[in-house]
Amino acid sequence: MKEVRCRYCGFTCYKYGKTRAGTQRWKCRECGNVFTLPINRDAKDFSMFLDWLFSKDTQKDMTGEGRNFRRETAKFWDIWAMPPKIEELRETVYVDGIYLARKACILIRCDEHHVLGWYLCRYERAFAWEALMSRIAEPRIVVSDGGPGFQKALKKVWPNARLQRCIFHVFCQVRRYTTTRPKTLAGAQLYMLARDLLEIKTLKKAEKWVSRFESWTMKHKEFLKEMTMDDRGVMRHTHERLIKAKTSLISLIKSGNLFTYLKEADEFPSPYPATNNLIEGGVNAQLRAMLRNHRGLSVERRIKAVFWWCYMHSPKPLSLSEILKVMPTDKSISTIYNSISSQQRLADSIPAWGDAIMWDELHNSGFNPSHDWD
């Protein structure tokens, strides 16, 4: 049982009957003062806030047409949900980024069951990926859609992890260049080759696909060399989009990241993923649905809503009462941030709010919540 101390002298108390309303009374062993403890509804209100956030309910449907709800839950928008540090080994990790505004991107990593971490940045860059990956033990396989800077961060933070480029994203990239209705024979054949990627289940079929792609390259070599003069009098490749699609596939084949899931399954007989669909459908789609249900939130509140969803789907979230005790608020972080002199910030190269939030350094650097994300 939790020990109760006197609000006047600080000594321990014991139960001393109840009031007519049924509230427990306490009496101090030292000074003899009798008092009742105030009822703390924060955890209950916080639960109501999260239930609303993760549902389709609108504030207008709440009691008092949302006025009471907004008054009781406004304080929870000041809290930031911090990601946990994951030290347990994971076989496979999925990573992806979701943009909430023009300069607000949240990088997310997860496994088959939980969200393992999240990181707020302006754009998908190497240092942002490094910050996200540094708080989790190195996995065997990392599935990515090929975001900017990710491979650079992977080599630095997880040098022994194998990268699997999402096959579906590879197909989509080729489709953007060829379209679904190519007007040339070369484009139609390349589009069919990209579609066949989704059906490859064995290394033998993968080798056969690579041979087919090489044959396509040789067959249309002269066709792809054709040049055309543009409006400015500059000679350009006539089929520039096809060349870009071909180059992207050649790069993936040379890097060995296209069929990692087949090579690893050959060495370690277990099902390895070929796509990033788990994080796209299991996490990103849920986040977009939540933001769509509560459209109209400011960018900062959208960010915090995503943080709360990720935290409540992390491996071992704290109880609601513990969350309210330990999670930082706008005020606490701003106090730390403002206590650091501008010269020290420049000397330590502490990133400003909006450039990136290094969560490992958050308690030392903080942020400026007045930044305009738009």
Side-chain angles (χ1 to χ4, degrees):
M1 179 179 148
K2 183 178 178 181
E3 188 179 63
V4 176
R5 291 187 172 273
C6 179
R7 62 175 66 178
Y8 304 105
C9 64
F11 281 84
T12 57
C13 304
Y14 60 92
K15 291 182 178 180
Y16 192 70
K18 294 186 178 181
T19 65
R20 290 184 178 181
T23 305
Q24 180 67 56
R25 283 199 302 250
W26 298 87
K27 185 172 183 178
C28 179
R29 299 180 185 276
E30 183 67 19
C31 65
N33 275 304
V34 179
F35 60 92
T36 59
L37 295 176
I39 299 176
N40 190 340
R41 292 179 48 88
D42 285 349
K44 185 175 180 180
D45 291 342
F46 187 42
S47 177
M48 178 176 62
F49 170 74
L50 293 179
D51 289 342
W52 165 80
L53 188 61
F54 301 153
S55 71
K56 296 182 179 180
D57 297 337
T58 62
Q59 293 186 9
K60 189 176 181 180
D61 297 331
M62 310 297 284
T63 305
E65 294 187 350
R67 289 187 294 272
N68 293 340
F69 173 80
R70 287 191 291 273
R71 182 174 61 251
E72 294 168 357
T73 61
K75 54 190 172 185
F76 303 126
W77 284 116
D78 294 335
I79 304 174
W80 287 90
M82 305 293 285
K85 188 168 185 177
I86 308 296
E87 297 180 349
E88 299 175 1
L89 295 177
R90 295 302 200 274
E91 189 77 5
T92 305
V93 169
Y94 305 81
V95 295
D96 196 13
I98 178 172
Y99 279 86
L100 305 183
R102 187 169 60 89
K103 295 182 180 180
C105 176
I106 299 180
L107 307 181
I108 300 173
R109 65 181 176 221
C110 72
D111 60 9
E112 292 82 359
H113 307 290
H114 301 101
V115 177
L116 304 178
W118 50 97
Y119 180 83
L120 177 62
C121 58
R122 284 195 179 214
Y123 307 104
E124 298 181 57
R125 292 176 179 169
F127 73 89
W129 286 114
E130 289 175 19
L132 175 74
M133 297 157 61
S134 62
R135 295 182 61 85
I136 181 175
E138 185 176 29
R140 180 183 297 279
I141 299 289
V142 184
V143 186
S144 168
D145 63 357
F150 177 75
Q151 290 197 46
K152 181 180 177 181
L154 183 66
K155 292 178 181 178
K156 183 176 180 180
V157 183
W158 294 339
N160 298 318
R162 299 291 303 276
L163 174 62
Q164 171 60 54
R165 177 69 183 275
C166 175
I167 296 294
F168 182 74
H169 281 85
V170 173
F171 163 69
C172 291
Q173 186 175 15
V174 174
R175 185 179 61 185
R176 281 199 300 271
Y177 293 128
T178 64
T179 74
T180 57
R181 295 181 179 180
K183 295 181 180 180
T184 63
L185 177 62
Q189 291 179 350
L190 186 59
Y191 175 70
M192 294 304 297
L193 274 170
R195 271 187 31 175
D196 291 344
L197 274 174
L198 304 176
E199 306 299 328
I200 296 177
K201 305 297 181 183
T202 64
L203 275 175
K204 188 175 181 180
K205 289 185 177 180
E207 293 170 357
K208 186 177 180 180
W209 184 90
V210 173
S211 298
R212 289 173 56 199
F213 175 69
E214 291 174 349
S215 299
W216 177 89
T217 303
M218 295 302 297
K219 180 180 179 180
H220 300 285
K221 184 176 181 180
E222 296 301 323
F223 175 76
L224 296 176
K225 285 183 178 180
E226 293 180 3
M227 305 292 288
T228 304
M229 183 178 294
D230 63 14
D231 298 336
R232 295 177 295 177
V234 179
M235 296 298 293
R236 304 175 64 92
H237 286 284
T238 306
H239 311 289
E240 190 174 7
R241 294 174 64 85
L242 280 180
I243 293 175
K244 289 181 179 179
K246 182 195 75 170
T247 304
S248 66
L249 290 174
I250 291 176
S251 177
L252 285 170
I253 293 172
K254 288 183 177 180
S255 68
N257 299 330
L258 193 57
F259 301 114
T260 302
Y261 69 104
L262 298 175
K263 297 174 183 177
E264 290 294 313
D266 190 53
E267 298 176 18
F268 303 91
S270 60
Y272 285 99
T275 67
N276 221 11
N277 292 347
L278 189 144
I279 192 171
E280 290 284 357
V283 178
N284 290 356
Q286 302 298 321
L287 294 175
R288 291 189 179 97
M290 175 183 67
L291 297 176
R292 188 166 55 249
N293 292 333
H294 303 299
R295 52 186 174 273
L297 295 175
S298 65
V299 177
E300 185 173 328
R301 288 194 173 185
R302 273 183 275 167
I303 293 170
K304 290 179 178 179
V306 170
F307 279 22
W308 280 123
W309 192 96
C310 290
Y311 182 79
M312 299 312 293
H313 290 81
S314 61
K316 295 179 181 179
L318 298 173
S319 65
L320 299 184
S321 57
E322 286 296 320
I323 289 174
L324 296 175
K325 291 179 182 178
V326 303
M327 291 299 179
T329 63
D330 289 343
K331 183 178 180 180
S332 63
I333 298 174
S334 294
T335 301
I336 298 172
Y337 183 84
N338 293 329
S339 66
I340 303 175
S341 66
S342 59
Q343 292 182 352
Q344 183 179 353
R345 293 178 205 166
L346 292 173
D348 296 341
S349 299
I350 296 176
W353 174 259
D355 292 331
I357 295 180
M358 299 293 288
W359 293 118
D360 289 336
E361 303 172 358
L362 183 58
H363 292 290
N364 296 325
S365 61
F367 66 91
N368 180 4
S370 63
H371 181 86
D372 182 9
W373 286 96
D374 297 326

